[in-house]
Each structure stands twice: as structure tokens, then as C-alpha cells.
């Protein structure tokens, strides 16, 4: 096992202090949106001595680092990417592609000669990007479509022409097809509403909050998004989506095709190793509405919260419905290891990050002490792991 460092991402929506406070580092005034721990080509985690990185370690010995099972299923790449994420401002309204589409579109952009780092490029790798976020603080988001009739009820009470039009659409066709029509009408350049029409809906939501809204979360999200992105139709589109509030320890799974936007909070995020983000609005970055509309799953469904299974009284394991990753969170208090180290569930290539305290991890190659903010990459041939100490340790591995 090797100590590794996180790769910082300074996206404008990130908090300048949240991850620094979590990890005990000194803020520098710049936004720190994410900290990556993985082997994605655009940001492989370096070893703490700077001599190499996780991607190079895998390339040097694929079978030993990944294990033959993972190698057979995924080839010579780490299937997942582990992150810390801290949005201070809302992220874009976005969706991630499925695997077949990512492969097809990545190849097409390559054939077209679009540079990998071009701001207008949609597909930066040929992989899908289902993801799971584990909340470390209260974490707010919108995710997936409401039932059409419920969305129609919300819109019916708003005194704004655009709201009335959307209400009529959903009332006449309360199916995924009707939701697609409403969502497309908001975002498609040919039909998107004017700034005045969006502002009228925002004003109606603001007034409804003042009058004692029956849906204060939904209206509050509209008002908040409008403060960051005035006149963007994505502000109104949020009324079609499920609001989500995660408490510390809760998790949310977002499948390919699931339209969503994270709004605020601090979390641990694990996903298939991809940087493919298709944006429909609420951002200054590249937007490709046509690609988004073609990828979105319009079937109404409640947000997917993954309940953990508990092992050895200390580790919660969140099994997402994908083959690429699973997430475990181990919490040990004083006295928990008086009878010896606890087994750490998981196998194959593992990424560990200590969020609090001091934890000693042991495997076939020896042991490593991880303190708050420290991370390690564990090879598959390190075998089963044990842990003891006090604190919180998160681990990504492959099912």
C-alpha cells in the first residue's frame, strides 16, 4: 500500500474553506470544489513522495494492483474515482451518459479532432458516470423527475404565464412523455422562455414563500438558483425535479440518465472513473442542450437513497447498483478495538481516506498509519485488510 495525495479542483462553485477545514489544511482564498483520489487520466493521484502516481502504478503491474478479476472486467484501469466534494454554489443542471453512448460519442469527438481539453468538448473519456454521494454535512440537491401530477400541482398555484403553460402540458399528458415535452420546452433554444417569463415564475415563487408556501423547499430552490443564474430556464426546471436533503450519514445514488444538480454541503463522492458531464444550464461552462435531452431518463422516480449494510459493528457499506464501485465508511471510537483490529470489508484495488482521528491499516505487505487528511492506495495483492484506532475512514473498492 502507498500513501497518495488528493488532486485539487478549483471549480468556481466550490467552497474556499470547507474541504480545508475537513482536512485540516490552510485555505488560500481560492475555491476548492473537489479533491480527487483515483487514476483518471486528467488527474491521477500522486504518491506522497512525488515519484509516481496511481495510474503509473497500475500500468507497471496491472495484475498485482488491480487483481485478475478486475483486470478481466475493466482492463488496465481503476474502475472508480473517489472524491471529496464541497459545493458552496449550485452546480450545473446536468446528466451523465450511459456506457454505450459514452463510448460512441467519445470516439466521434476524437474522429472530429476535438481536443480532449477543449472547453466545448462533451466526452473526455469513453466511460459512463453513475455516482453515489455520502453526506458529511447537510447536503442539498435536486435529483430525478417528480411525478407529473405532483409537478403540475406545484405549477398550478403560481401566478405566472410560463407556469400556467407548463401546468397545462403536464395536466394534459401526465406521463414521461409529458414531462419530456415540458422539460424540452424550457431548455431547447427553439422554445426556451424569455428572461421576463423566467423572472415572473421566480417572483411568483418568492411571493408564495412570503405567503406561507405549501412547498417551501421547491420555491426556495427556485429563488436561490435565480440569485446565482437569473433568467436561466434551468431555474424553472428545478420545479420538475425532486428536492433532496441528505443528513450526515445519508447517501444518494444518481444513475446514468438521471438529471440532477448539487446545491450545497460537503460529501464523499464515488463514481465510475469518468469526467463526462453534460450540462443543460445553471452554469457558465459549455452547454449542449440537445445532447442532454437525448440522454435524460424522463420516468418519474423518487431519489435513490442507498441504505448501508453494517459489518463488524463499525463499517457501513453502501452497495450501489453498478459493477464499478462500492463505498464503505468505518468509524471507530476509543475502546472499540480492545479485542483486536477490526476486519475491513472490501477487496481488489482500494482507495482509503482518513477523515478524522488516527487509523492503522494492515494487509499482506505491512501496515500504514493514516491520520486526518491522509490517503492510501491499496493493491489487490495486499489481500484482506484490518484496521484499528479511533476516527473515520472511507474506502472505495470494486464489488
Amino acid at each position: 500500500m502507498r500513501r497518495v495525495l488528493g488532486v485539487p479542483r478549483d471549480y468556481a462553485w466550490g467552497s474556499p474553506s470547507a474541504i480545508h477545514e475537513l482536512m485540516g489544511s490552510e485555505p488560500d482564498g481560492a475555491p476548492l470544489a473537489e479533491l480527487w483520489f483515483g487514476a483518471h487520466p486528467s488527474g491521477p493521484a500522486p504518491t506522497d513522495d512525488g515519484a509516481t502516481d496511481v495510474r503509473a502504478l497500475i500500468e507497471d503491474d496491472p495484475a498485482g494492483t488491480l487483481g485478475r478479476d478486475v483486470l478481466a472486467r475493466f482492463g488496465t484501469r481503476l474502475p472508480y474515482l473517489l472524491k471529496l466534494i464541497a459545493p458552496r454554489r449550485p452546480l450545473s443542471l446536468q446528466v451523465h451518459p450511459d456506457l454505450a453512448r459514452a463510448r460512441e460519442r467519445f470516439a466521434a469527438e476524437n474522429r472530429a479532432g476535438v481536443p480532449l481539453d477543449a472547453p466545448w468538448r462533451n466526452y473526455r473519456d469513453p466511460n459512463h458516470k453513475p455516482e453515489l454521494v455520502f453526506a458529511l454535512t447537510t447536503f442539498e440537491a435536486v435529483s430525478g423527475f417528480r411525478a407529473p401530477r405532483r409537478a403540475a400541482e406545484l405549477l398550478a398555484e403560481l401566478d405566472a404565464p410560463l407556469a400556467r403553460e407548463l401546468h397545462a402540458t403536464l395536466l394534459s399528458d401526465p406521463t414521461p412523455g409529458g414531462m419530456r415535452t415540458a422539460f424540452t420546452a424550457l431548455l431547447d433554444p427553439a422554445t426556451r422562455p424569455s428572461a421576463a417569463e423566467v423572472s415572473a415564475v421566480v417572483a411568483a415563487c418568492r411571493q408564495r414563500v412570503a405567503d406561507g408556501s405549501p412547498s417551501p423547499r421547491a420555491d426556495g430552490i427556485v429563488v436561490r438558483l435565480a440569485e446565482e443564474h437569473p433568467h436561466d430556464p434551468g431555474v424553472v426546471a428545478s420545479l420538475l425535479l425532486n428536492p433532496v436533503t441528505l443528513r450526515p450519514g445519508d447517501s444518494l445514488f444518481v444513475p446514468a440518465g438521471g438529471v440532477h444538480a448539487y446545491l450545497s454541503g460537503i460529501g464523499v463522492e464515488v463514481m465510475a472513473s469518468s469526467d463526462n458531464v453534460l450540462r443543460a444550464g445553471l452554469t457558465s461552462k459549455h452547454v449542449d442542450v440537445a445532447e442532454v435531452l437525448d440522454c435524460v431518463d424522463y420516468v418519474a422516480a423518487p431519489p435513490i437513497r442507498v441504505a448501508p449494510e453494517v459489518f463488524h459493528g463499525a463499517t457501513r457499506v453502501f452497495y450501489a447498483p453498478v459493477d464499478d464501485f462500492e463505498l464503505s465508511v468505518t468509524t471507530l471510537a476509543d475502546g472499540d478495538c480492545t479485542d483486536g483490529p477490526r476486519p475491513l470489508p472490501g477487496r481488489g484495488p482500494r482507495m482509503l481516506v482518513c477523515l478524522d482521528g488516527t487509523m492503522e491499516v494492515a494487509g499482506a505487505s505491512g501496515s500504514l498509519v493514516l491520520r486526518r487528511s491522509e490517503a492510501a492506495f491499496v493493491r489487490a495483492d495486499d489481500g484482506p485488510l484490518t484496521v484499528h484506532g479511533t476516527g473515520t475512514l472511507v474506502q472505495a473498492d470494486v464489488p
Side-chain angles (χ1 to χ4, degrees), residues 15-34:
S15 167
S17 60
I19 291 178
H20 288 292
E21 291 172 1
L22 176 67
M23 304 297 274
S25 54
E26 191 66 32
D28 59 6
L32 179 54
E34 296 177 345

Side-chain angles (χ1 to χ4, degrees), residues 342-354:
R342 298 293 180 93
L344 191 62
R347 63 192 181 93
R350 288 146 286 179
M351 189 66 74
L352 311 175
V353 181
C354 183

Side-chain angles (χ1 to χ4, degrees), residues 69-292:
D69 172 63
V70 171
L71 187 60
R73 289 190 287 151
F74 296 97
T76 57
R77 63 180 177 88
L78 189 66
Y80 59 79
L81 175 59
L82 181 67
K83 298 180 181 179
L84 299 181
I85 180 171
R88 182 180 63 87
R89 297 164 53 193
L91 277 68
S92 58
L93 186 66
Q94 61 186 256
V95 70
H96 305 307
D98 62 25
L99 187 56
R101 188 180 194 90
R103 288 173 174 169
E104 174 191 333
R105 293 294 201 267
F106 177 75
E109 289 189 327
N110 282 347
R111 288 194 300 269
V114 182
L116 273 177
D117 59 353
W120 60 90
R121 180 157 185 147
N122 285 325
Y123 293 87
R124 302 186 185 280
D125 54 68
N127 204 14
H128 64 167
K129 194 175 177 255
E131 59 193 33
L132 181 142
V133 61
F134 171 82
L136 298 175
T137 66
T138 300
F139 197 94
E140 302 283 351
V142 289
S143 181
F145 288 104
R146 297 174 181 268
R149 291 189 185 279
R150 174 57 183 145
E153 289 173 5
L154 280 177
L155 293 160
E157 300 168 356
L158 293 174
D159 185 18
L162 176 57
R164 288 192 287 271
E165 291 172 15
L166 294 170
H167 170 261
T169 296
L170 295 174
L171 207 59
S172 64
D173 185 8
T175 70
M179 187 62 81
R180 179 175 188 139
T181 300
F183 194 65
T184 300
L186 285 172
L187 300 177
D188 193 310
T191 57
R192 62 185 284 144
S194 68
E197 289 174 309
V198 172
S199 295
V201 175
V202 174
C205 288
R206 185 179 289 111
Q207 185 60 51
R208 189 161 65 176
V209 170
D211 294 341
S213 172
S215 303
R217 267 205 305 174
D219 291 336
I221 288 170
V222 168
V223 172
R224 179 179 175 189
L225 291 175
E227 291 172 354
E228 297 285 347
H229 303 281
H231 311 144
D232 190 315
V235 170
V236 180
S238 70
L239 289 168
L240 306 179
L241 307 178
N242 297 299
V244 181
T245 299
L246 301 179
R247 303 301 179 191
D250 292 344
S251 71
L252 173 71
F253 176 71
V254 180
V259 62
H260 64 286
Y262 297 149
L263 306 180
S264 64
I266 308 172
V268 175
E269 194 177 22
V270 63
M271 61 196 64
S273 185
S274 175
D275 198 24
N276 289 329
V277 180
L278 305 173
R279 302 175 185 89
L282 305 178
T283 182
S284 59
K285 293 183 177 181
H286 173 63
V287 168
D288 189 332
V289 171
E291 190 72 11
V292 168

Side-chain angles (χ1 to χ4, degrees), residues 277-362:
V277 180
L278 305 173
R279 302 175 185 89
L282 305 178
T283 182
S284 59
K285 293 183 177 181
H286 173 63
V287 168
D288 189 332
V289 171
E291 190 72 11
V292 168
L293 294 175
D294 216 24
C295 284
V296 169
D297 182 353
Y298 295 92
V299 176
I304 304 172
R305 298 171 183 262
V306 179
E309 294 189 27
V310 180
F311 292 85
H312 313 297
T315 300
R316 290 167 288 166
V317 181
F318 296 84
Y319 294 111
V322 292
D323 294 333
D324 309 70
F325 60 81
E326 59 193 21
L327 179 73
S328 65
V329 183
T330 299
T331 303
L332 295 173
D334 287 337
D336 281 351
C337 295
T338 53
D339 55 349
R342 298 293 180 93
L344 191 62
R347 63 192 181 93
R350 288 146 286 179
M351 189 66 74
L352 311 175
V353 181
C354 183
L355 298 181
D356 185 46
T358 301
M359 309 283 264
E360 183 174 358
V361 181

